Coordinates of all heavy atoms in Angstrom, one line a residue:
M1 N 7.3 60.5 35.3 CA 7.8 60.7 36.6 C 9.1 60.1 36.8 O 10.1 60.7 37.4 CB 6.9 60.3 37.4 CG 7.1 60.5 38.9 SD 6.9 62.1 39.4 CE 6.4 62.0 41.1
L2 N 9.2 58.8 36.5 CA 10.6 58.1 36.8 C 11.8 58.7 35.8 O 12.8 58.7 36.2 CB 10.4 56.6 36.5 CG 9.6 56.0 37.5 CD1 9.2 54.5 37.1 CD2 10.2 56.1 38.9
E3 N 11.4 59.2 34.7 CA 12.5 59.8 33.8 C 13.1 61.0 34.4 O 14.1 61.6 34.1 CB 12.0 59.8 32.5 CG 11.9 58.8 31.5 CD 13.3 58.1 31.3 OE1 14.2 58.9 31.1 OE2 13.1 56.9 31.4
S4 N 12.6 61.6 35.4 CA 13.0 62.9 36.1 C 14.3 62.6 36.8 O 15.1 63.5 37.1 CB 12.0 63.4 36.8 OG 11.6 62.6 38.0
V5 N 14.6 61.3 37.0 CA 15.9 61.0 37.7 C 17.0 60.4 36.9 O 17.9 60.0 37.4 CB 15.5 60.1 39.0 CG1 14.7 60.8 40.0 CG2 15.0 58.8 38.6
S6 N 16.7 60.4 35.7 CA 17.6 59.9 34.6 C 18.8 60.9 34.5 O 18.6 62.0 34.6 CB 17.0 59.7 33.4 OG 16.1 58.6 33.3
I7 N 20.0 60.3 34.3 CA 21.1 61.1 34.1 C 21.6 61.0 32.4 O 21.9 59.9 32.0 CB 22.3 60.6 34.9 CG1 22.0 60.5 36.3 CG2 23.7 61.3 34.5 CD1 23.1 59.8 37.2
P8 N 21.4 62.1 31.8 CA 21.7 62.1 30.3 C 23.3 61.8 30.3 O 24.1 62.2 31.0 CB 21.4 63.5 29.9 CG 20.5 64.0 31.0 CD 20.9 63.4 32.2
K9 N 23.6 61.2 29.2 CA 25.0 60.8 28.8 C 25.8 62.1 28.5 O 25.4 63.1 27.9 CB 25.0 60.0 27.5 CG 26.5 59.2 27.4 CD 26.4 58.4 26.2 CE 27.6 57.4 26.3 NZ 27.4 56.4 25.2
G10 N 26.9 62.3 29.2 CA 27.8 63.4 29.1 C 27.7 64.3 30.2 O 28.5 65.4 30.3
I11 N 26.6 64.3 31.1 CA 26.4 65.4 32.1 C 27.5 65.0 33.3 O 27.8 65.9 33.8 CB 25.0 65.3 32.6 CG1 24.0 65.7 31.5 CG2 24.8 66.2 33.8 CD1 24.2 67.2 31.0
V12 N 27.6 63.7 33.5 CA 28.6 63.3 34.7 C 29.7 62.6 34.1 O 29.6 61.7 33.4 CB 27.8 62.4 35.6 CG1 28.8 61.9 36.7 CG2 26.5 63.1 36.3
I13 N 31.0 63.1 34.3 CA 32.1 62.5 33.9 C 32.9 61.9 35.2 O 33.1 62.7 36.2 CB 33.1 63.5 33.2 CG1 32.2 64.0 32.0 CG2 34.4 62.8 32.7 CD1 31.9 63.0 30.9
T14 N 33.2 60.8 35.1 CA 33.9 60.1 36.4 C 35.3 60.5 36.4 O 36.0 61.1 35.5 CB 33.8 58.5 36.3 OG1 34.5 58.1 35.2 CG2 32.4 58.0 36.0
E15 N 35.9 60.1 37.6 CA 37.3 60.4 37.8 C 38.2 59.9 36.8 O 39.3 60.2 36.5 CB 37.8 60.0 39.2 CG 37.6 58.7 39.5 CD 37.8 58.5 41.0 OE1 37.3 59.3 41.8 OE2 38.3 57.3 41.4
H16 N 37.7 58.8 36.2 CA 38.6 58.1 35.1 C 38.2 58.6 33.7 O 38.8 58.0 32.7 CB 38.3 56.5 35.2 CG 38.5 55.9 36.5 ND1 39.7 55.8 37.0 CD2 37.7 55.5 37.5 CE1 39.8 55.3 38.2 NE2 38.5 55.1 38.5
G17 N 37.4 59.6 33.5 CA 37.1 60.2 32.4 C 36.0 59.5 31.5 O 35.7 59.7 30.4
A18 N 35.3 58.5 32.3 CA 34.2 57.9 31.6 C 33.0 58.6 31.9 O 32.8 59.4 32.8 CB 34.1 56.5 32.0
S19 N 32.0 58.4 31.0 CA 30.7 59.1 31.0 C 29.7 58.3 31.9 O 29.6 57.1 31.6 CB 29.9 59.4 29.6 OG 28.8 60.0 29.7
D20 N 29.2 58.8 33.0 CA 28.2 58.0 33.8 C 26.8 58.5 33.5 O 26.5 59.7 33.4 CB 28.6 58.4 35.3 CG 27.8 57.5 36.3 OD1 27.2 56.4 35.8 OD2 27.8 57.8 37.4
F21 N 25.9 57.5 33.2 CA 24.5 57.9 32.7 C 23.6 56.7 33.0 O 24.0 55.6 33.4 CB 24.7 58.1 31.1 CG 25.0 56.9 30.4 CD1 24.0 56.1 29.7 CD2 26.3 56.6 30.0 CE1 24.4 55.2 28.9 CE2 26.7 55.5 29.4 CZ 25.8 54.8 28.8
T22 N 22.4 57.1 32.9 CA 21.4 56.0 33.1 C 21.2 55.2 31.8 O 20.9 55.7 30.7 CB 19.9 56.7 33.4 OG1 20.1 57.5 34.5 CG2 19.0 55.6 33.6
C23 N 21.7 53.9 31.9 CA 21.7 53.0 30.7 C 20.3 52.3 30.5 O 20.2 52.0 29.4 CB 22.9 52.1 30.8 SG 22.9 51.0 32.3
Y24 N 19.5 52.3 31.4 CA 18.2 51.7 31.2 C 17.3 52.1 32.3 O 17.7 52.6 33.4 CB 18.3 50.1 31.2 CG 18.5 49.4 32.4 CD1 17.4 49.1 33.2 CD2 19.8 49.2 32.9 CE1 17.6 48.4 34.5 CE2 19.9 48.6 34.1 CZ 18.9 48.2 35.0 OH 19.1 47.6 36.1
S25 N 15.9 52.1 32.0 CA 14.8 52.3 33.0 C 14.0 51.2 32.9 O 13.8 50.6 32.0 CB 14.1 53.7 32.7 OG 15.0 54.7 32.5
A26 N 13.6 50.7 34.1 CA 12.8 49.6 34.3 C 11.5 49.8 35.3 O 11.7 50.6 36.1 CB 13.5 48.4 34.8
Y27 N 10.5 49.2 34.9 CA 9.2 49.3 35.7 C 8.5 48.0 35.8 O 8.6 47.1 35.0 CB 8.3 50.2 35.1 CG 8.9 51.4 34.4 CD1 9.3 51.3 33.1 CD2 9.2 52.6 35.0 CE1 10.0 52.4 32.4 CE2 9.9 53.6 34.4 CZ 10.3 53.6 33.0 OH 10.9 54.6 32.5
M28 N 7.9 47.7 36.9 CA 7.3 46.4 37.2 C 5.8 46.6 37.6 O 5.6 47.6 38.3 CB 7.9 45.7 38.2 CG 9.4 45.2 37.8 SD 10.4 44.3 39.1 CE 9.4 42.7 39.0
C29 N 4.9 45.8 37.2 CA 3.5 45.8 37.4 C 3.2 44.4 38.3 O 3.3 43.4 37.7 CB 2.8 46.0 36.3 SG 1.0 45.9 36.8
S30 N 3.0 44.6 39.6 CA 2.8 43.4 40.3 C 1.3 42.8 40.0 O 1.1 41.7 40.3 CB 2.8 43.7 41.9 OG 1.8 44.8 42.1
E31 N 0.3 43.6 39.4 CA -1.0 43.0 39.1 C -0.8 42.2 37.8 O -1.5 41.0 37.8 CB -1.9 44.1 38.9 CG -2.3 45.0 40.1 CD -3.1 46.1 39.9 OE1 -3.4 46.4 38.7 OE2 -3.5 46.8 40.7
T32 N -0.1 42.4 36.8 CA -0.1 41.8 35.6 C 1.2 40.8 35.6 O 1.4 40.1 34.5 CB -0.1 42.7 34.4 OG1 1.1 43.6 34.4 CG2 -1.3 43.5 34.3
L33 N 2.1 41.0 36.6 CA 3.4 40.2 36.5 C 4.2 40.6 35.3 O 4.8 39.7 34.6 CB 3.3 38.8 36.7 CG 2.5 38.4 37.9 CD1 2.3 36.8 38.0 CD2 3.3 38.8 39.2
S34 N 4.2 41.9 34.9 CA 5.0 42.4 33.8 C 6.2 43.2 34.2 O 6.0 44.0 35.0 CB 4.0 43.0 32.8 OG 2.9 42.3 32.5
Y35 N 7.1 43.2 33.4 CA 8.4 43.9 33.6 C 8.6 44.7 32.3 O 8.6 44.2 31.1 CB 9.6 42.9 33.7 CG 10.9 43.7 33.9 CD1 11.3 44.2 35.2 CD2 11.8 43.7 32.8 CE1 12.5 44.8 35.3 CE2 13.1 44.3 33.0 CZ 13.4 44.8 34.1 OH 14.7 45.4 34.4
Y36 N 8.5 46.2 32.4 CA 8.7 47.1 31.3 C 10.0 47.6 31.4 O 10.6 48.0 32.5 CB 7.6 48.0 31.3 CG 6.3 47.5 31.3 CD1 5.5 47.1 32.4 CD2 5.6 47.4 30.1 CE1 4.2 46.7 32.4 CE2 4.2 47.0 30.0 CZ 3.7 46.6 31.1 OH 2.3 46.1 31.1
F37 N 10.8 47.8 30.3 CA 12.1 48.5 30.2 C 12.4 49.3 28.9 O 11.7 48.8 27.9 CB 13.0 47.5 30.6 CG 13.5 46.5 29.6 CD1 14.5 46.7 28.6 CD2 12.6 45.4 29.4 CE1 14.7 45.8 27.6 CE2 12.9 44.5 28.4 CZ 13.9 44.7 27.6
S38 N 13.2 50.2 29.1 CA 13.7 50.9 27.9 C 15.2 51.0 28.0 O 15.6 51.2 29.2 CB 13.1 52.1 27.6 OG 13.3 53.1 28.7
T39 N 16.0 51.2 27.1 CA 17.5 51.3 27.3 C 17.9 52.8 26.7 O 17.1 53.4 26.0 CB 18.2 50.3 26.4 OG1 18.0 50.4 25.0 CG2 17.9 48.9 26.9
Y40 N 18.9 53.2 27.0 CA 19.5 54.4 26.6 C 19.6 54.4 25.0 O 19.2 55.4 24.5 CB 20.9 54.7 27.2 CG 21.5 56.1 26.7 CD1 21.1 57.2 27.5 CD2 22.3 56.2 25.6 CE1 21.5 58.4 27.2 CE2 22.7 57.4 25.3 CZ 22.3 58.6 26.1 OH 22.6 59.9 25.7
G41 N 20.0 53.4 24.5 CA 20.2 53.3 23.0 C 18.8 53.1 22.2 O 18.8 53.3 21.0
N42 N 17.9 52.6 22.9 CA 16.5 52.5 22.1 C 15.4 52.7 23.4 O 15.1 51.9 24.1 CB 16.3 51.0 21.7 CG 15.0 50.8 20.9 OD1 14.2 51.7 21.0 ND2 15.0 49.8 20.2
Q43 N 14.7 53.9 23.1 CA 13.8 54.3 24.2 C 12.4 53.7 24.1 O 11.6 53.9 24.7 CB 13.5 55.9 24.0 CG 14.8 56.6 24.4 CD 15.1 56.4 25.9 OE1 14.3 56.6 26.8 NE2 16.3 56.1 26.2
R44 N 12.2 52.8 23.0 CA 11.0 52.0 23.0 C 10.7 51.2 24.2 O 11.7 50.5 24.6 CB 11.0 51.2 21.6 CG 9.7 50.4 21.5 CD 9.6 49.5 20.3 NE 9.6 50.3 19.0 CZ 9.1 49.7 18.0 NH1 8.7 48.6 17.9 NH2 9.1 50.7 17.0
I45 N 9.6 51.2 24.6 CA 9.3 50.4 25.9 C 9.1 48.9 25.5 O 8.2 48.6 24.6 CB 8.2 50.9 26.7 CG1 8.4 52.3 27.0 CG2 7.7 50.0 27.8 CD1 7.3 53.0 27.8
R46 N 9.8 48.1 26.0 CA 9.7 46.6 25.9 C 9.0 46.0 27.0 O 9.2 46.5 28.1 CB 11.0 46.0 25.7 CG 11.5 45.9 24.1 CD 12.1 47.2 23.6 NE 13.1 48.0 24.4 CZ 14.3 48.1 24.2 NH1 15.0 47.2 23.5 NH2 15.1 48.9 24.9
K47 N 8.4 44.8 27.0 CA 7.7 44.2 28.0 C 7.9 42.7 28.0 O 7.9 42.1 27.0 CB 6.1 44.4 27.8 CG 5.3 43.6 28.8 CD 3.8 43.9 28.4 CE 2.8 42.8 29.2 NZ 1.6 43.0 28.6
I48 N 8.2 42.2 29.2 CA 8.3 40.7 29.4 C 7.3 40.4 30.5 O 7.3 41.0 31.6 CB 9.7 40.4 29.9 CG1 10.8 40.7 28.8 CG2 9.8 38.9 30.3 CD1 12.2 40.6 29.2
S49 N 6.4 39.4 30.1 CA 5.4 38.9 31.1 C 5.8 37.6 31.8 O 6.5 36.8 31.0 CB 4.1 38.7 30.4 OG 3.7 40.0 29.8
L50 N 5.6 37.6 33.0 CA 5.9 36.3 33.7 C 4.7 35.4 33.4 O 3.9 35.1 34.3 CB 6.0 36.6 35.3 CG 6.5 35.4 36.2 CD1 7.8 34.9 35.7 CD2 6.7 35.9 37.5
S51 N 4.9 34.5 32.4 CA 3.8 33.6 31.9 C 4.0 32.3 32.8 O 5.1 32.2 33.5 CB 3.9 33.3 30.5 OG 5.3 32.7 30.3
E52 N 3.1 31.4 32.7 CA 3.2 30.1 33.4 C 4.4 29.4 32.9 O 5.2 28.8 33.7 CB 1.9 29.3 33.1 CG 0.7 29.8 33.9 CD 0.9 29.8 35.5 OE1 1.6 28.8 36.0 OE2 0.7 30.8 36.1
S53 N 4.6 29.3 31.6 CA 5.8 28.7 31.1 C 7.1 29.3 31.6 O 8.1 28.6 32.0 CB 5.9 28.5 29.6 OG 5.9 29.8 29.1
L54 N 7.1 30.5 31.7 CA 8.4 31.2 32.4 C 8.5 31.0 33.7 O 9.6 30.8 34.3 CB 8.2 32.7 32.0 CG 9.6 33.6 32.1 CD1 10.8 33.0 31.3 CD2 9.3 34.9 31.7
K55 N 7.4 30.8 34.5 CA 7.5 30.5 36.0 C 8.1 29.2 36.1 O 8.8 28.9 37.2 CB 6.2 30.6 36.6 CG 5.5 31.9 36.7 CD 4.2 31.8 37.4 CE 3.4 33.1 37.5 NZ 2.0 32.9 38.1
N56 N 7.8 28.3 35.2 CA 8.2 26.9 35.3 C 9.6 26.5 34.8 O 10.1 25.5 34.9 CB 7.2 25.9 34.6 CG 5.9 25.9 35.3 OD1 5.8 26.2 36.6 ND2 4.9 25.9 34.6
E57 N 10.1 27.5 34.2 CA 11.5 27.5 33.5 C 12.6 27.1 34.7 O 12.7 27.7 35.7 CB 12.0 28.9 32.9 CG 13.1 28.8 32.0 CD 12.8 28.0 30.8 OE1 11.7 28.2 30.1 OE2 13.7 27.4 30.3
K58 N 13.4 26.2 34.4 CA 14.4 25.8 35.4 C 15.8 26.3 35.1 O 16.7 26.4 35.9 CB 14.6 24.2 35.4 CG 13.3 23.4 35.6 CD 13.0 23.6 37.1 CE 11.8 22.7 37.3 NZ 10.8 23.3 38.2
E59 N 16.0 26.9 33.8 CA 17.2 27.5 33.4 C 17.2 28.9 33.3 O 16.0 29.4 33.1 CB 17.8 26.8 32.1 CG 17.9 25.3 32.2 CD 19.1 25.0 33.0 OE1 20.1 25.8 33.0 OE2 19.0 24.0 33.7
F60 N 18.2 29.6 33.2 CA 18.3 31.1 33.0 C 17.7 31.3 31.6 O 18.0 30.6 30.6 CB 19.7 31.6 33.2 CG 20.0 32.9 32.7 CD1 19.8 34.0 33.7 CD2 20.3 33.4 31.5 CE1 19.7 35.3 33.4 CE2 20.6 34.8 31.2 CZ 20.3 35.7 32.2
K61 N 16.9 32.4 31.6 CA 16.1 32.7 30.3 C 16.7 34.1 29.7 O 16.7 35.0 30.7 CB 14.7 32.9 30.5 CG 13.9 33.1 29.2 CD 13.8 31.8 28.4 CE 12.9 32.0 27.2 NZ 12.8 31.1 26.3
N62 N 17.2 34.1 28.5 CA 17.8 35.3 28.1 C 16.9 35.8 26.9 O 16.4 35.1 26.2 CB 19.2 35.0 27.4 CG 20.0 36.1 26.9 OD1 19.8 37.3 27.3 ND2 20.7 35.9 25.8
F63 N 16.7 37.1 27.0 CA 15.9 37.9 26.0 C 16.7 38.8 25.2 O 17.0 39.9 25.7 CB 14.7 38.5 26.6 CG 13.7 37.6 27.4 CD1 13.8 37.3 28.7 CD2 12.6 37.0 26.8 CE1 12.9 36.5 29.4 CE2 11.8 36.1 27.2 CZ 11.9 35.9 28.5
P64 N 17.1 38.5 24.1 CA 17.9 39.3 23.3 C 17.2 40.5 23.0 O 16.0 40.5 22.6 CB 18.4 38.6 22.1 CG 17.8 37.2 22.2 CD 16.8 37.3 23.4
I65 N 17.7 41.8 23.0 CA 17.1 43.0 22.6 C 18.0 43.7 21.6 O 19.2 43.6 21.5 CB 16.9 43.9 23.9 CG1 18.3 44.3 24.5 CG2 16.1 43.3 24.9 CD1 18.2 45.4 25.4
V66 N 17.3 44.6 20.8 CA 18.0 45.6 20.0 C 18.2 46.8 20.6 O 17.3 47.4 21.1 CB 17.0 45.7 18.6 CG1 17.8 46.8 17.8 CG2 16.9 44.5 18.0
N67 N 19.5 47.1 20.8 CA 19.8 48.4 21.5 C 20.2 49.6 20.6 O 20.9 50.4 20.9 CB 20.9 48.1 22.5 CG 21.0 49.0 23.7 OD1 19.8 49.6 24.0 ND2 22.1 49.4 24.2
E68 N 19.5 49.6 19.4 CA 19.6 50.7 18.5 C 18.2 51.3 18.3 O 17.3 50.5 18.2 CB 20.3 50.3 17.2 CG 21.6 49.8 17.4 CD 22.2 49.1 16.2 OE1 21.5 48.9 15.1 OE2 23.4 48.7 16.2
E69 N 18.0 52.6 18.3 CA 16.8 53.1 18.1 C 16.1 52.6 16.8 O 16.7 52.5 15.8 CB 16.9 54.8 18.1 CG 15.6 55.4 18.4 CD 15.3 55.3 19.9 OE1 16.1 55.8 20.7 OE2 14.3 54.8 20.1
D70 N 14.8 52.2 16.9 CA 14.1 51.8 15.7 C 12.8 52.7 15.8 O 12.5 53.3 16.7 CB 13.7 50.4 15.9 CG 13.0 49.9 17.0 OD1 12.9 50.7 18.0 OD2 12.5 48.9 17.0
I71 N 12.1 52.6 14.5 CA 10.9 53.4 14.3 C 9.8 52.5 14.0 O 10.0 51.7 13.1 CB 11.3 54.5 13.2 CG1 12.4 55.5 13.6 CG2 9.8 55.2 12.9 CD1 12.8 56.3 12.5
L72 N 8.8 52.7 14.7 CA 7.4 51.9 14.4 C 6.7 52.8 13.4 O 6.2 53.8 13.8 CB 6.7 51.6 15.7 CG 5.4 51.0 15.5 CD1 5.6 49.6 14.8 CD2 4.6 50.8 16.7
E73 N 6.6 52.4 12.1 CA 5.8 53.1 11.2 C 4.2 52.7 11.6 O 3.9 51.7 11.6 CB 6.1 52.7 9.8 CG 7.5 53.3 9.5 CD 7.8 53.1 8.0 OE1 6.9 53.3 7.1 OE2 8.8 52.8 7.6
L74 N 3.5 53.8 11.6 CA 2.0 53.5 11.9 C 1.0 53.7 10.6 O -0.1 53.4 10.7 CB 1.6 54.7 13.0 CG 2.3 54.4 14.4 CD1 1.7 55.7 15.3 CD2 2.1 53.2 15.0
N75 N 1.7 54.1 9.6 CA 0.8 54.1 8.3 C 1.8 53.8 7.1 O 3.0 53.7 7.1 CB 0.2 55.4 8.2 CG 1.0 56.6 8.0 OD1 2.3 56.5 8.0 ND2 0.6 57.7 8.0

């Protein structure tokens, strides 16, 4: 449902000639305190949970991601 509002790359060109597109999609679950997201470069859904240790974190927390499509082999 949420992907229905995504803008594919190349469909919209700005007045400066740049491509305007949806670079990521994000979803939150208030019951599990989880944040789900995927990027334009890698459609795999990633999840970050708001754990107790993360709640107590005093500093900015950075989660590096791979923004290139990867394949999960199932067999």
